[in-house]
Amino acid sequence: NKEGEMALVTYVAERVQKIFNIDLTTLFSTTPLNLDVSFGNPRFKKPKNHNERIANAYTFYAHYLSLLVLQATPDLKTTPLPTRAKDLHQEIIQTTGSVTFENVLHFAWQRGVAVLPLNDSGNFHGACWRENYRNIIVIKPQVNYDAYWLFNLLHEIKHAADSPEQSDLSVVEAGRDKEWLILEDEQKANDFAGNTMLEGRAIELVQE
């Protein structure tokens, strides 16, 4: 019925208003929406064929959820993260016994890094945000394998470990094409993830 439809429209509109900070009058007008994406100084990686409007909207959504997680975990204490794969591997082994997705997930939370997994549609691969020295990682792997989730989590942990002197940080990865893969910081994050998983033998094993 019409009353039910209007209630649903109002409910959705209020949620959109809250997430994107858009006035309801503007939302229901014919004026084109202008999403002012502002996440500090983000390093935004996106493929050539990405839809920028969809990517911006999804980034808003993921960032909003991330802020909610940080708001809900005020007692989560941030501690320095290892910046070398060898050191991280050793710490994970010492504290959990093995480098598995579940163990690294627990390790991240213990070190004050909140982790938000997303499993919905959208051209978005992951992100790392830092708000007032508090890190949160968003992972959204496209393949449902533990090893793939583990690699993505370790990749984002590398971003969270970088530049600890900065109070705010934003790394948003909307796609992973060839141009994205050759970026220096992404190569380092990939190497970091592989070497943490394989005890520093990633290159050796690939060559073998």
Side-chain angles (χ1 to χ4, degrees), residues 45-100:
K45 299 145 183 107
K46 51 195 176 182
K48 292 180 179 178
N49 61 349
H50 90 299
N51 185 314
E52 186 169 356
R53 293 177 63 188
I54 294 177
N56 287 348
Y58 194 90
T59 301
F60 253 112
Y61 166 71
H63 188 247
Y64 174 75
L65 294 181
S66 298
L67 294 178
L68 289 181
V69 172
L70 291 179
Q71 183 180 352
T73 56
D75 297 329
L76 194 63
K77 296 182 179 179
T78 301
T79 56
L81 291 167
T83 57
R84 298 195 309 169
K86 179 180 179 180
D87 296 335
L88 179 59
H89 179 91
Q90 290 179 346
E91 286 200 35
I92 293 172
I93 294 296
Q94 290 172 358
T95 56
T96 65
S98 60
V99 183
T100 65

Side-chain angles (χ1 to χ4, degrees), residues 81-101 103-105 107-108 111 147 149-159 161 187-205:
L81 291 167
T83 57
R84 298 195 309 169
K86 179 180 179 180
D87 296 335
L88 179 59
H89 179 91
Q90 290 179 346
E91 286 200 35
I92 293 172
I93 294 296
Q94 290 172 358
T95 56
T96 65
S98 60
V99 183
T100 65
F101 174 72
N103 287 344
V104 174
L105 183 62
F107 177 85
R111 300 302 289 267
W149 281 76
L150 172 59
F151 185 89
N152 278 266
L153 176 57
L154 289 168
H155 177 103
E156 299 302 336
I157 286 178
K158 177 62 171 68
H159 290 314
Q187 289 180 336
K188 289 181 178 179
N190 283 340
D191 291 343
F192 180 87
N195 283 318
T196 302
M197 293 172 66
L198 302 172
E199 199 174 358
R201 301 181 59 207
I203 296 178
E204 174 190 342
L205 292 174

